[in-house]
Amino acid sequence: MWDNPSLRCLLAIAFLHLLSLIYSQETDVAISGFPEAPLYLKCITHDLNRMICSWGATSSANLGLTYKICYTNSEPFSPVCIKTEEKRADIPVTMGSTNIEITTLNASGTPLATETFVLPEENVSLIPLTPQILNLNADFSTYTLYLKWNDGGSVFQHELDASWQIQILRKETMETVTLMNYDSKLTGKDSILSWNWTSDIPLECTSHHVKIRCYINDPYFSGRKEWSEWSPIKTVPGKDTKISNAVVFPQDKVVLVGSNVAFCCLYNEGESIKYMKYGSESYSLLRLSKWSSAIKVQNVSASISSGTNVWCSVLPDNVAGTVLFVGYAPDTPQNLNCETRTFITITCSWNPGRPTRLYRQRQTKYILFERISRENVTCKVDELNKNHHCDFPVHANQKIYSFTLEATNPLGRAESSLLIDVNQRAHLETPDKFTVSTNSSTNAHLSWYIPGNFIQIRLLCQIEISNTNSGQLQQNVSMAGAENSNYRARVDALHPYATYTFRVRCSASEHFWRWSKWSEGKKLTTLEAPPARGPDIWREKSPVGETLTVFWKPLLLSEANGIIRSHEVSCYPRETVLEVPVPLNSTEIKFGGNDCLISVVAKNRAGSSPSSRITSVDLPSDNVKTELAIATGNGIYISWHSDPNVTCGYTLKWCISSGSEPCSVDWEMFPSNATDAVIKSALFQPGVRYNFSLYGCKHNGYQLLQNIMGYMKELSPKVAPNFTVEETSSDSILVKWEDIPVEDCQGFLKGYILSFAKGEKGTSKTSLMEEGSPELTVKTITDLTKKSLRILDLQGKTSYRLDLQAYTIGGKGPSKDLYVVTKENSVGLIIAILIPVAVAVVLGVVTSILCYQKREWIKETFYPDIPNPENSKALQFQKNICEGNTALKTLEMNPCTPNSVEVVETRSTVLKIEDTEIISPVVDSELLEDGSDPETGSHVVVSYCPPIIEEEISSPARDEPVGSSQIIYIDIQSMYQPQVNPEEEPEINFVTSAGYKPQMQLPINAMKMESHSPTEEDLDKTAGYRPQANTNVWKLDSPDSPTSIQSNNENGSFGSPCSINSRQFLIPPKDYEDSPTPNNTGWSFTNFFQNKPND
């Protein structure tokens, strides 16, 4: 609803009318309500000084009317009236409210209507004048528009803040590209304001339009402030309407790396663009006008030296293009340095920093500007070279120079400054034409040339002298400067017959800045001179004392002062002089046992050296000790005690042998106050023992003071010591070893390490002899005089591995191992035998005592008179054990042939079968207990023939002898009868009792019955054969029962399986079975310690 302009206008009018009613005051009007009455008063100001008020009327017709306007402010001033024919008036702006009375007059001046308005300041609008653009220019190379306009500040009497809105439009449709704000300050006078804007596309691509408006901000004005009207549009026309052929803009543009670049292709009417490419990639087209299209490339990367191509293919058959160069703005010149080499020009050098990636006409250009002389030079540089330089001329009488180096390219500029004093920045050229000459053995003459004008300064030149023996030496020479001159110098204190290399460099002397480069080196050899000193000498007498061998050491090159040709050896007082040519360094002199003074002189072409002398006298020595030296790694440290009798120093002699060659004698001399020395030699080798002899020089000869042995560096022994086992026992081993040869020790022995552990031969050494193993024992022998060791506390009959190795300060040598088995421990074996035997004897004695005390119980338990068949495994028959088993012969029922019968006792000389009697041991024992005579007992004689078992049992023939075979049966029933109470005994019926029945009931058994006396009938019943079992107690369900269906036995008279011809008593009596005694009568440990009641 509020978007309707008409409605908003109506509401504004209604609001203004309401205000007019509130603030207006009705006056005395002659004619009220006329259509000519003024309405809708509106006032605006452009300069805050005067305001333009306008109004309307009910009637729009103008019939020659005029208006009289009278205005006063709220203060009591007289009104000011003016007349106007237009419905507007120009009146001053006043503070506070303004009373305005407008009277409408006709042509004759008669008032038609009068309206009074009260106009507060808040109802006055401040609207600046419409700004005018003075100038709009375009820089097509940079896509920039430059705008200029007049701010109109002269219309205001004081400073005010102004804001400007600048609107950029493009295309035919006048699309807004940007709306920018620009702030300025009005100073009370007209000022020209400038503003520029850079387009994102080339300005040639399409036309660009610009307009502006203004807004004034007066903090003291309480009225409404509004934007001015837009200025008239200024246009920068593009080139899209004035082309004859397709073209691409921009042309050969240079941009920064990472920029966003737009390219447009212009074409004629009737043509169209097929594609546009940047490099090899196509981009989507943006239409700018009917003759122009563009593409935008984001974040371009650095191009190659020839740039990146842009292509535009125009239909039907036209192609246009351009090249884009992408690089960097110049970096600030780094390490700017200006110095002079010749005092003719000043050379400034710098590092350009980051490469710009722009070349040829687009590369960075450098200008060197000097502020004091206000001169500048253009520097020619190579963009590919990292070190740039530029020359500036030196001005006479000018020492201070202020340089500014400016670097520019199409993408930007940078500069660097430097202030110098040319006299303090002298960096001379390299000395040239350098020569060296000599005519002496100790000095040399040098000459060189330096280009340049150095008249105003002094030069400092440095001469470097190099020698292989003395190293490098530098000598400084100061001299006056000259112009393009040669400079000379002399070097002294050189060694004779020495080769030197000379070179020179120069700089300013007073204000040193930098050395010049070194000249080329020149070599020179000085002349020879006589040797500086005599050679070091030593002598040794032969064992028989007839000859004396003299040794000398060759002089050093620095001492020989030339080439030594020979050595002259003489012996005084004898007139013996020998000339020994080089390279010999020893000779023999025969002196017949008489001591002499020996002299040796070295000779070269320049002369002879001073003589070296030594006496041949050897003083006797007593109790010469041998000491040990200390190895230092690169030498041998030897010390000795000072001898006050030594007046002319000490001589330390040693001999070095190299293979098959003879021993080479060497020595070194020390002053009398010396007490130690470190002997070094290139011939010393690690691990080799050297023997030294220390001689003291006394006034009357040389005396041997001490013998010393030492190593340059001690190593571990080369071989292991040989050792053997001399003796073994059950708990010890005696080990003996031999010394290691000196040449294999490679150091002074500190001791031996003997390691041993249990182990069989062939086992891994690592597992047995590993350090930290609980089985491993290590013994260290530090007493080198010991050659044996007894190892104690070993186990008998055990294999041990022994390892023996020697060690020095240099480390442990290899080890040698032996395997030894200790002897068996005989005492232990005897103890091992005696202890079990003693234990067995003690147990046997204890067992015998216990068995004797429990003999009755043992007998009844383990060996009863008649065993209990239930405890016998013989009755644990398996099924059908008796069927078809031919191995069980005792169970077979075969015909029995009568056997002879043993006669136990006879009463007559003629034996009869009927007189054979059965004697019961039970009866005998009872009679004995009663005190009766055993011989008075009665005997029973029976006849017996084993039955013949057949299919059907038949009675024996009557005519066969009945008593052809006899057997004695012992009364065993009494042994199976259980112990019963006396009152229960009469109830026992021996004849009908179940269980075992003797084949014959002896009459003597009846004697045990107190109330029963055997009758004749009873005796008849007991006579003859009785079966072993009672058929009344047979179990019919037994598998081997005569009536069992599972039994194959057809004879029904058997009491138990296979028991007819059994010789054993298998089935106990029933009374015994019913006994409370358990069936399993076995041995019990608790019974063993219980006594019988009657015991």
Side-chain angles (χ1 to χ4, degrees):
M1 179 180 69
W2 298 106
D3 295 337
N4 191 338
S6 301
L7 182 60
R8 286 189 293 174
C9 184
L10 290 175
L11 290 174
I13 293 172
F15 180 75
L16 291 174
H17 181 66
L18 181 63
L19 290 176
S20 176
L21 291 177
I22 294 173
Y23 293 104
S24 64
Q25 182 176 345
E26 242 183 43
T27 59
D28 188 13
V29 181
I31 301 174
S32 180
F34 277 77
E36 293 83 4
L39 297 174
Y40 316 126
L41 179 66
K42 180 181 180 181
C43 297
I44 63 172
T45 179
H46 296 302
D47 55 6
L48 295 177
N49 186 26
R50 301 192 66 83
M51 59 184 175
I52 300 172
C53 294
S54 61
W55 60 88
T58 305
S59 175
S60 62
N62 188 357
L63 303 175
L65 299 177
T66 59
Y67 299 93
K68 178 183 178 182
I69 303 172
C70 297
Y71 57 89
T72 60
N73 56 13
S74 57
E75 297 180 0
F77 290 105
S78 59
V80 177
C81 297
I82 60 174
K83 288 184 179 182
T84 179
E85 293 180 355
E86 297 180 355
K87 295 178 182 179
R88 57 181 295 175
D90 186 359
I91 63 175
V93 176
T94 59
M95 299 294 294
S97 300
T98 302
N99 296 325
I100 300 174
E101 182 183 82
I102 303 175
T103 302
T104 304
L105 304 175
N106 57 17
S108 59
T110 303
L112 298 179
T114 300
E115 190 74 32
T116 302
F117 300 94
V118 177
L119 181 65
E121 187 179 351
E122 290 81 1
N123 290 347
V124 179
S125 298
L126 174 60
I127 301 176
L129 294 173
T130 302
Q132 298 296 320
I133 297 176
L134 299 179
N135 193 7
L136 177 62
N137 294 324
D139 185 353
F140 288 93
S141 63
T142 59
Y143 310 167
T144 304
L145 295 177
Y146 295 94
L147 178 67
K148 291 183 179 180
W149 71 94
N150 191 339
D151 64 353
S154 60
V155 301
F156 298 98
Q157 298 177 359
H158 55 276
E159 289 188 356
L160 293 174
D161 292 330
S163 295
W164 307 85
Q165 272 191 349
I166 307 169
Q167 189 176 25
I168 310 295
L169 305 100
R170 70 162 61 125
K171 296 185 181 180
E172 300 166 351
T173 58
M174 303 293 286
E175 292 181 3
T176 300
V177 178
T178 183
L179 182 64
M180 304 292 293
N181 290 326
Y182 180 83
D183 295 329
S184 68
K185 188 174 287 292
L186 304 180
T187 61
K189 57 183 180 179
D190 291 342
S191 298
I192 304 301
L193 301 181
S194 299
W195 177 81
N196 62 78
W197 172 78
T198 301
S199 174
D200 59 339
I201 64 173
L203 298 178
E204 298 94 339
C205 295
T206 187
S207 298
H208 289 75
H209 313 279
V210 181
K211 60 181 180 179
I212 63 174
R213 64 179 179 175
C214 182
Y215 177 88
I216 305 299
N217 182 21
D218 186 355
Y220 303 105
F221 179 69
S222 60
R224 294 188 297 272
K225 305 175 185 70
E226 299 180 10
W227 285 98
S228 71
E229 296 292 332
W230 286 104
S231 69
I233 294 177
K234 287 284 185 178
T235 301
V236 175
K239 296 182 179 181
D240 53 344
T241 59
K242 301 177 183 179
I243 62 170
S244 60
N245 200 3
V247 63
V248 177
F249 291 100
Q251 289 289 316
D252 299 336
K253 180 72 173 176
V254 180
V255 298
L256 285 170
V257 173
S259 301
N260 300 327
V261 185
F263 301 92
C264 67
C265 183
L266 308 183
Y267 48 90
N268 292 317
E269 189 173 357
E271 294 179 337
S272 62
I273 297 178
K274 181 180 180 181
Y275 62 80
M276 288 187 70
K277 287 185 177 181
Y278 176 77
S280 60
E281 186 177 355
S282 297
Y283 288 83
S284 58
L285 298 174
L286 303 174
R287 183 176 177 81
L288 301 179
S289 68
K290 59 182 178 181
W291 303 290
S292 176
S293 295
I295 62 172
K296 289 187 177 182
V297 181
Q298 306 291 329
N299 192 22
V300 292
S301 58
S303 61
I304 59 177
S305 60
S306 60
T308 304
N309 294 326
V310 181
W311 301 92
C312 176
S313 178
V314 180
L315 296 176
D317 57 354
N318 198 359
V319 176
T322 185
V323 179
L324 182 70
F325 298 92
V326 185
Y328 297 95
D331 200 358
T332 301
Q334 300 173 5
N335 303 324
L336 177 62
N337 176 48
C338 296
E339 58 190 18
T340 181
R341 290 180 175 271
T342 61
F343 277 86
I344 299 174
T345 59
I346 297 174
T347 301
C348 294
S349 61
W350 66 92
N351 187 335
R354 179 183 59 191
T356 61
R357 308 293 293 273
L358 301 176
Y359 307 95
R360 299 182 181 90
Q361 66 269 25
R362 284 165 290 275
Q363 73 178 7
T364 304
K365 295 178 176 58
Y366 294 93
I367 297 177
L368 184 64
F369 176 75
E370 203 283 307
R371 185 181 58 83
I372 298 175
S373 64
R374 305 193 66 82
E375 293 183 9
N376 62 72
V377 294
T378 300
C379 306
K380 296 181 179 180
V381 298
D382 183 6
E383 188 67 24
L384 298 177
N385 188 0
K386 289 186 177 181
N387 294 319
H388 296 172
H389 66 273
C390 188
D391 292 335
F392 189 87
V394 175
H395 299 297
N397 302 323
Q398 182 180 351
K399 297 193 302 181
I400 305 301
Y401 292 83
S402 178
F403 292 107
T404 297
L405 180 67
E406 183 182 77
T408 59
N409 73 1
L411 298 178
R413 65 181 297 275
E415 64 179 28
S416 183
S417 300
L418 181 66
L419 181 68
I420 67 167
D421 183 347
V422 68
N423 289 341
Q424 298 179 10
R425 292 293 185 105
H427 185 194
L428 278 60
E429 295 285 353
T430 304
D432 193 16
K433 302 176 184 179
F434 181 54
T435 60
V436 181
S437 62
T438 184
N439 56 4
S440 171
S441 62
T442 58
N443 57 55
H445 299 276
L446 286 70
S447 175
W448 64 92
Y449 170 80
I450 300 177
N453 184 6
F454 307 106
I455 297 175
Q456 297 180 358
I457 64 172
R458 288 186 63 82
L459 300 184
L460 176 67
C461 294
Q462 188 177 74
I463 302 170
E464 184 184 76
I465 308 163
S466 300
N467 180 261
T468 56
N469 296 323
S470 58
Q472 289 185 354
L473 189 66
Q474 292 178 346
Q475 181 177 335
N476 293 336
V477 180
S478 178
M479 57 191 69
E483 184 177 1
N484 299 324
S485 174
N486 288 323
Y487 300 90
R488 295 176 178 83
R490 173 178 170 175
V491 179
D492 297 320
L494 300 179
H495 289 288
Y497 200 71
T499 301
Y500 293 93
T501 301
F502 299 90
R503 59 180 185 169
V504 66
R505 60 182 180 178
C506 296
S507 178
S509 177
E510 295 180 3
H511 302 286
F512 177 81
W513 170 241
R514 286 178 181 172
W515 288 110
S516 68
K517 292 183 179 180
W518 287 105
S519 67
E520 62 176 344
K522 294 290 183 177
K523 287 188 177 182
L524 174 71
T525 301
T526 56
L527 302 179
E528 290 190 27
R533 69 177 186 88
D536 292 337
I537 60 175
W538 183 248
R539 83 289 177 279
E540 281 192 355
K541 288 183 179 180
S542 62
V544 296
E546 295 294 331
T547 60
L548 184 71
T549 304
V550 181
F551 303 93
W552 59 88
K553 291 182 179 181
L555 292 174
L556 300 176
L557 292 178
S558 59
E559 300 169 342
N561 294 338
I563 299 175
I564 302 300
R565 303 293 178 178
S566 64
H567 290 85
E568 183 181 280
V569 182
S570 58
C571 185
Y572 299 96
R574 300 179 55 135
E575 299 298 330
T576 303
V577 179
L578 301 176
E579 190 80 16
V580 182
V582 174
L584 298 177
N585 59 357
S586 65
T587 186
E588 288 186 358
I589 299 175
K590 296 182 179 180
F591 62 103
N594 297 323
D595 291 319
C596 63
L597 183 64
I598 302 166
S599 175
V600 179
V601 175
K603 294 182 178 182
N604 63 10
R605 288 179 180 177
S608 301
S609 70
S611 63
S612 298
R613 296 175 180 176
I614 189 172
T615 180
S616 64
V617 178
D618 282 336
L619 302 177
S621 301
D622 296 329
N623 299 326
V624 178
K625 296 182 179 180
T626 300
E627 302 291 340
L628 301 181
I630 299 176
T632 62
N634 60 351
I636 302 174
Y637 175 76
I638 298 174
S639 62
W640 59 86
H641 297 289
S642 178
D643 190 342
N645 297 323
V646 174
T647 58
C648 48
Y650 297 92
T651 300
L652 192 63
K653 187 210 74 172
W654 66 91
C655 185
I656 298 176
S657 177
S658 56
S660 59
E661 296 182 3
C663 181
S664 175
V665 176
D666 201 354
W667 67 95
E668 193 167 341
M669 295 183 176
F670 304 95
S672 302
N673 58 352
T675 57
D676 60 356
V678 176
I679 308 302
K680 296 181 180 181
S681 173
L683 301 177
F684 285 162
Q685 296 180 2
V688 178
R689 181 180 293 184
Y690 297 98
N691 298 318
F692 298 86
S693 298
L694 180 67
Y695 292 89
C697 178
K698 300 182 179 181
H699 68 283
N700 55 347
Y702 283 85
Q703 184 180 29
L704 177 63
L705 303 179
Q706 186 176 327
N707 290 324
I708 305 163
M709 297 184 299
Y711 293 85
M712 181 192 75
K713 182 179 180 181
E714 293 191 52
L715 304 178
S716 58
K718 188 186 300 184
V719 297
N722 291 323
F723 75 106
T724 58
V725 176
E726 296 293 324
E727 180 183 333
T728 60
S729 65
S730 60
D731 61 349
S732 65
I733 298 174
L734 179 61
V735 180
K736 289 188 177 181
W737 59 87
E738 301 174 357
D739 287 331
I740 300 176
V742 173
E743 60 272 11
D744 293 333
C745 287
Q746 302 191 122
F748 295 117
L749 284 181
K750 295 298 180 181
Y752 300 90
I753 299 175
L754 179 63
S755 306
F756 60 93
K758 295 179 181 178
E760 299 291 339
K761 191 171 184 179
T763 56
S764 174
K765 178 180 179 181
T766 305
S767 60
L768 294 177
M769 312 305 289
E770 186 178 5
E771 293 186 4
S773 174
E775 298 292 334
L776 179 66
T777 303
V778 179
K779 292 184 178 296
T780 303
I781 301 101
T782 57
D783 186 0
L784 298 179
T785 60
K786 292 182 61 175
K787 295 296 180 288
S788 64
L789 178 68
R790 183 176 294 276
I791 306 174
L792 303 174
D793 301 327
L794 303 179
Q795 296 181 6
K797 204 175 183 180
T798 303
S799 177
Y800 286 90
R801 175 181 178 136
L802 309 180
D803 275 18
L804 184 63
Q805 57 185 154
Y807 69 94
T808 64
I809 293 179
K812 299 177 183 178
S815 63
K816 183 178 181 181
D817 58 85
L818 288 177
Y819 288 89
V820 183
V821 179
T822 55
K823 295 181 179 180
E824 190 172 4
N825 192 347
S826 58
V827 176
L829 181 61
I830 295 172
I831 294 174
I833 295 174
L834 290 180
I835 290 176
V837 170
V839 171
V841 170
V842 171
L843 290 178
V845 172
V846 173
T847 303
S848 300
I849 295 173
L850 293 177
C851 289
Y852 179 76
Q853 292 179 353
K854 301 293 184 177
R855 60 187 180 279
E856 294 296 335
W857 174 82
I858 292 173
K859 181 177 182 298
E860 291 182 2
T861 302
F862 295 101
Y863 193 72
D865 292 337
I866 298 178
N868 188 348
E870 293 183 358
N871 296 331
S872 176
K873 292 185 179 181
L875 296 181
Q876 297 177 4
F877 298 105
Q878 298 179 1
K879 185 176 180 181
N880 300 329
I881 194 172
C882 300
E883 299 176 5
N885 193 342
T886 57
L888 301 176
K889 299 297 182 178
T890 58
L891 302 181
E892 293 181 357
M893 295 176 291
N894 295 326
C896 180
T897 303
N899 296 323
S900 60
V901 178
E902 180 183 358
V903 178
V904 177
E905 183 180 357
T906 59
R907 294 189 180 182
S908 63
T909 57
V910 180
L911 292 176
K912 295 182 180 179
I913 297 175
E914 292 83 354
D915 294 335
T916 304
E917 64 178 350
I918 297 174
I919 302 172
S920 174
V922 177
V923 176
D924 293 341
S925 61
E926 291 180 358
L927 294 175
L928 289 172
E929 290 176 2
D930 297 337
S932 59
D933 188 2
E935 296 180 356
T936 59
S938 61
H939 302 281
V940 179
V941 179
V942 295
S943 296
Y944 169 74
C945 180
I948 299 174
I949 309 298
E950 295 180 356
E951 297 271 334
E952 293 180 1
I953 302 174
S954 59
S955 301
R958 294 181 180 267
D959 53 352
E960 290 181 4
V962 178
S964 61
S965 177
Q966 292 182 343
I967 188 170
I968 299 174
Y969 277 83
I970 302 172
D971 184 5
I972 63 173
Q973 185 176 0
S974 61
M975 295 192 303
Y976 280 90
Q977 290 177 355
Q979 297 179 1
V980 296
N981 296 328
E983 59 272 11
E984 295 176 355
E985 290 181 358
E987 298 177 0
I988 299 175
N989 190 346
F990 293 99
V991 178
T992 61
S993 63
Y996 173 75
K997 296 295 186 291
Q999 295 180 1
M1000 182 178 201
Q1001 183 70 28
L1002 298 179
I1004 194 170
N1005 290 333
M1007 295 176 62
K1008 299 172 69 176
M1009 303 291 199
E1010 295 179 359
S1011 59
H1012 178 72
S1013 59
T1015 60
E1016 185 178 354
E1017 184 180 359
D1018 295 334
L1019 294 174
D1020 293 336
K1021 292 180 180 180
T1022 60
Y1025 171 75
R1026 293 292 184 271
Q1028 294 184 359
N1030 188 355
T1031 58
N1032 294 329
V1033 297
W1034 284 354
K1035 296 180 180 179
L1036 300 181
D1037 58 349
S1038 175
D1040 294 315
S1041 172
T1043 59
S1044 174
I1045 61 175
Q1046 298 178 5
S1047 177
N1048 294 327
N1049 191 351
E1050 298 179 357
N1051 194 337
S1053 61
F1054 305 123
S1056 62
C1058 310
S1059 63
I1060 291 299
N1061 62 344
S1062 175
R1063 301 301 175 91
Q1064 301 292 332
F1065 305 105
L1066 303 178
I1067 301 176
K1070 183 171 176 47
D1071 295 340
Y1072 186 80
E1073 292 179 357
D1074 296 337
S1075 172
T1077 305
N1079 293 334
N1080 259 343
T1081 306
W1083 180 83
S1084 174
F1085 189 78
T1086 56
N1087 295 336
F1088 187 76
F1089 297 97
Q1090 295 177 3
N1091 294 327
K1092 294 176 66 175
N1094 56 354
D1095 286 349

